[in-house]
Amino acid sequence: MRKYVVLPVILLAAFQLHRPERANPPADPARAVDARMEVPPNIRALLDRSCADCHSNRTTWPWYSRVAPVSWLVAGHVREAREHLNFSDWPGRHDAEHLLEEICEEVEKGAMPLASYRVLHPSAKLSPAERQAICGWTRSAAAPPAR
């Protein structure tokens, strides 16, 4: 019976030896989304509350991001999220249009923020009105400029 307790403890301790990268890369403010396009204050607040921890270089790393194997999952989610969409490194207009469409699509269907994130961060959950506000912003931001 004792080996059933000791072995998992040893494995958990060994897992702690592999530390994933949990860094916030330097960010050039001139490349941020709100430097490259109009982001209304209410939308900025929603993005900060529900998206920025994974989709920016301003991640707040919680205590559980230091404990393996959860640390591996958290670091992997943040890395993938930044690769796909990073509000700290916003692209030019053409690429931004596609990202804006994807933001609305993911938010509208409830895929973002991730359910696993919402469990530990209930304030990140978006209400239907907040999802509509984000989609309204993405649609107007993606529209071609008036001539």
Side-chain angles (χ1 to χ4, degrees), residues 18-35:
H18 175 67
R19 299 279 188 182
E21 178 72 31
R22 288 184 314 109
N24 286 335
D28 177 357
R31 295 187 55 84
V33 64
D34 44 5

Side-chain angles (χ1 to χ4, degrees), residues 18-83:
H18 175 67
R19 299 279 188 182
E21 178 72 31
R22 288 184 314 109
N24 286 335
D28 177 357
R31 295 187 55 84
V33 64
D34 44 5
R36 294 190 167 206
M37 63 188 313
E38 179 70 29
V39 182
N42 66 317
I43 300 301
R44 175 85 254 164
L46 292 174
L47 298 178
D48 285 345
R49 187 187 85 205
S50 299
C51 310
D53 262 352
C54 296
H55 291 284
S56 79
N57 293 348
R58 299 179 294 119
T59 302
T60 300
W61 296 96
W63 67 268
Y64 54 82
S65 70
R66 294 172 176 81
V67 181
V70 175
S71 60
W72 307 338
L73 296 171
V74 172
H77 279 283
V78 171
R79 184 179 54 255
E80 285 181 40
R82 286 176 179 166
E83 287 172 3

Side-chain angles (χ1 to χ4, degrees), residues 37 90-101 142:
M37 63 188 313
W90 194 251
R93 177 148 184 84
H94 176 71
D95 291 330
E97 289 176 17
H98 175 71
L99 288 176
L100 290 164
E101 289 171 11

